[in-house]
Amino acid sequence: SNTKKRADVPVAGPVEGLDWLPSAPGEQLCNLVGRWRILQRVGSHRWTTDDLVTAYCAATALSASFSKVDACGRENGRVINYLDLGTGNASVLQMVSWHILSHGSATGVTDLRGVGVEARSEAVGLACRSLSFNLGNVE
């Protein structure tokens, strides 16, 4: 057969200031939502439709629970804190964050703090690097 296989082109280590750049064999920077991207490894955990549905349900519930104006008609700045246990490569955490940040003015959200908890160091590294691409340097 005349079929060519796709070959990943590794980068020779991290590039200064571009921590999110795929730097290990098998890493891919993939579309996630809007202009947000996610680093994933070929043959490892990757975001799926289940993640999309979970993020949609969480973002919808969070958005519905906040109103821009309180019962007395005063502007109501809102802070959202949320936790994603077993976050993996943070696909759900990032999709929920994107939704809240994209619709923040409509919901009155003034501050967003999401925390992902994950046991696998490889997934944590990919999640942090994806967040750096989407939000800038994060800790």
Side-chain angles (χ1 to χ4, degrees), residues 7 21 23 36 40 52 63 71 75 77 82 88 107 120 123-125 133:
L21 191 66
S23 59
W36 283 36
Q40 304 182 104
L52 182 64
S63 295
E75 284 291 316
Y82 68 100
T107 60
R120 297 177 303 121
V124 171
F133 176 86

Side-chain angles (χ1 to χ4, degrees), residues 29-138:
L29 187 64
C30 304
N31 292 332
L32 183 63
V33 63
R35 293 183 178 197
W36 283 36
R37 306 292 179 259
I38 187 167
L39 269 170
Q40 304 182 104
R41 290 192 49 81
V42 174
S44 185
H45 176 78
R46 298 171 69 83
W47 78 273
T48 64
T49 306
D50 292 351
D51 298 349
L52 182 64
V53 171
T54 300
Y56 174 80
C57 292
T60 302
L62 280 172
S63 295
S65 67
F66 292 99
S67 169
K68 190 172 183 177
V69 179
D70 68 15
C72 298
R74 295 177 296 220
E75 284 291 316
N76 207 9
R78 301 291 187 176
V79 176
I80 293 180
N81 295 295
Y82 68 100
L83 176 66
D84 184 2
L85 295 174
T87 196
N89 57 3
S91 58
V92 172
L93 181 125
Q94 291 184 84
M95 285 187 271
V96 170
S97 296
W98 174 85
H99 175 82
I100 298 301
L101 292 171
S102 297
H103 300 88
S105 60
T107 60
V109 174
T110 57
D111 197 7
L112 174 66
R113 297 178 190 139
V115 175
V117 177
E118 174 58 45
R120 297 177 303 121
S121 61
E122 177 188 48
V124 171
L126 290 171
C128 289
R129 291 170 53 215
S130 295
L131 285 163
S132 289
F133 176 86
N134 296 317
L135 297 172
N137 289 331
V138 294

